[in-house]
Amino acid sequence: MGPPRRLLRSAAAPPEPVAADSDVVVVLASLLCGLICAVGLALVARCAWLRRAGGAGAAVRQKKGVKKKVLRALPRLTYRAAESPLAECAICLAEFEDGDEVRLLPQCAHAFHVSCVDVWLSSHSTCPSCRRVLAPPPPRCDQCEASCSKTAHDGDGPPFLP
């Protein structure tokens, strides 16, 4: 029984120290963690910069719906298939039919069913299709009951064209 023990002992030589390899692994893991942290911070900084560049007020305005007065001022039309036969509401995805009440957004000329777009605009101030911010209509003039600049009036007389 003596010789087999020697073979096992001689075959199981002590392992070489791998301290240098484990140090490399630790350094590479540390560099990887640092890279991930740097990328994360860069993304957070970019997000904050974009939010500031867009203006905090613009972000709040877009999330808040339009006022009822502005909503009532948006044009309403009765749809006629003969004028534009291939049209559909981008909110409910139903095709417009003759006689449907359609609201036309003035900034982008997108049309939607009145009931669909009114629900949307009660919580958003952007077009559902192109996300363009809806600007309020120009104020109506007390003197001429039209949309004009109040500085266009010469005293109490009728408005003049600039």
Side-chain angles (χ1 to χ4, degrees):
M1 291 245 174
R5 284 186 188 166
R6 276 191 228 163
L7 288 175
L8 287 176
R9 280 189 216 157
S10 64
E16 295 181 25
V18 288
D21 291 337
S22 64
D23 289 343
V24 170
V25 170
V26 169
V27 169
L28 288 177
S30 299
L31 288 175
L32 181 63
C33 288
L35 179 66
I36 290 171
C37 289
V39 168
L41 286 174
L43 289 175
V44 168
R46 181 176 183 265
C47 181
W49 180 78
L50 288 175
R51 179 174 223 144
R52 185 173 297 150
V60 171
R61 264 194 318 263
Q62 289 178 359
K63 292 182 181 177
K64 187 177 177 186
V66 297
K67 295 180 181 179
K68 289 182 181 182
K69 186 176 180 181
V70 173
L71 189 63
R72 284 192 300 264
L74 294 174
R76 277 179 123 165
L77 306 170
T78 302
Y79 179 76
R80 307 227 187 284
E83 295 172 5
S84 57
L86 300 175
E88 69 178 12
C89 176
I91 297 173
C92 68
L93 301 178
E95 290 187 13
F96 295 133
E97 296 179 5
D98 278 337
D100 282 352
E101 287 291 314
V102 176
R103 190 174 299 281
L104 186 69
L105 302 183
Q107 283 79 10
C108 57
H110 288 127
F112 308 94
H113 289 118
V114 171
S115 58
C116 297
V117 78
D118 286 358
V119 171
W120 171 267
L121 291 174
S122 67
S123 60
H124 300 82
S125 61
T126 59
C127 171
S129 292
C130 65
R131 301 293 186 164
R132 180 180 253 176
V133 177
L134 299 178
R140 299 194 62 86
C141 179
D142 295 332
Q143 293 180 0
C144 65
E145 294 297 321
S147 295
C148 70
S149 64
K150 293 188 179 202
T151 60
H153 295 286
D154 185 22
D156 292 333
F160 66 92
L161 297 174

